[in-house]
Amino acid sequence: MKKMMYSLLATGFLCLATFGLANSSQPTAGTELRPTQKAMQARAGWMKAMNANLTGMKYDEVGKDAAALASQTDAAAGKIANPLAKELTLKVSTLATAVADAAGKKDGETVKVKLAEIKATCGECHAKIRDKK
């Protein structure tokens, strides 16, 4: 009788341990994003906001978002070891500064051109670095 109880108890613990390991090995929907992913989401958010505010001719808002993008990319470039990634990040920073300047002058056409250049630079980085892996 004791052997049967110990066998059932051991089997129960084995099942619980297996179930626990199976649940912990699979990523959950609430998985924390990596810092790079958070930065890219912030950049995408600023780009979306700038495009929307440009359509509404809210140049002050465009300028604020462009300044935030320029500041974030400039700070991030200092921490990047990959020379190509650093170059492209600094390019985005320079273009975002140009967007902020153009927005301050309420020059919608220049803002549109610079935003398109930022988008192209992001696409280049994705093609050469992110998607290449």
Side-chain angles (χ1 to χ4, degrees), residues 76-128:
K79 301 172 188 169
I80 297 175
N82 182 328
L84 178 60
K86 186 172 190 161
E87 174 190 338
L88 293 172
T89 302
L90 287 172
K91 184 176 178 182
V92 169
S93 180
T94 303
L95 290 167
T97 301
V99 168
D101 292 342
K105 297 174 186 172
K106 300 188 184 325
D107 183 358
E109 285 304 312
T110 302
V111 171
K112 285 180 189 177
V113 169
K114 296 300 179 186
L115 286 176
E117 288 180 36
I118 291 173
K119 187 173 179 179
T121 303
C122 290
E124 180 181 356
C125 187
H126 286 209
K128 291 182 178 178

Side-chain angles (χ1 to χ4, degrees), residues 3-132:
K3 285 185 180 182
M4 184 178 224
M5 278 297 252
Y6 287 131
S7 296
L8 287 174
L9 190 60
T11 304
F13 281 129
L14 181 63
C15 289
L16 286 174
T18 303
F19 180 73
L21 288 174
N23 282 341
S24 67
S25 66
Q26 296 179 4
T28 60
T31 303
E32 184 71 22
L33 296 175
R34 295 185 310 255
T36 304
Q37 290 172 316
K38 289 179 183 180
M40 293 302 138
Q41 285 185 345
R43 292 176 192 181
W46 286 318
M47 289 295 294
K48 184 177 179 180
M50 283 187 282
N51 281 311
N53 287 325
L54 181 61
T55 302
M57 298 179 70
K58 298 176 184 174
Y59 293 109
D60 291 338
E61 295 299 316
V62 172
K64 288 177 189 175
D65 290 333
L69 177 61
S71 175
Q72 192 265 358
T73 51
D74 188 51
K79 301 172 188 169
I80 297 175
N82 182 328
L84 178 60
K86 186 172 190 161
E87 174 190 338
L88 293 172
T89 302
L90 287 172
K91 184 176 178 182
V92 169
S93 180
T94 303
L95 290 167
T97 301
V99 168
D101 292 342
K105 297 174 186 172
K106 300 188 184 325
D107 183 358
E109 285 304 312
T110 302
V111 171
K112 285 180 189 177
V113 169
K114 296 300 179 186
L115 286 176
E117 288 180 36
I118 291 173
K119 187 173 179 179
T121 303
C122 290
E124 180 181 356
C125 187
H126 286 209
K128 291 182 178 178
I129 297 170
R130 186 192 76 174
D131 296 341
K132 189 174 184 174

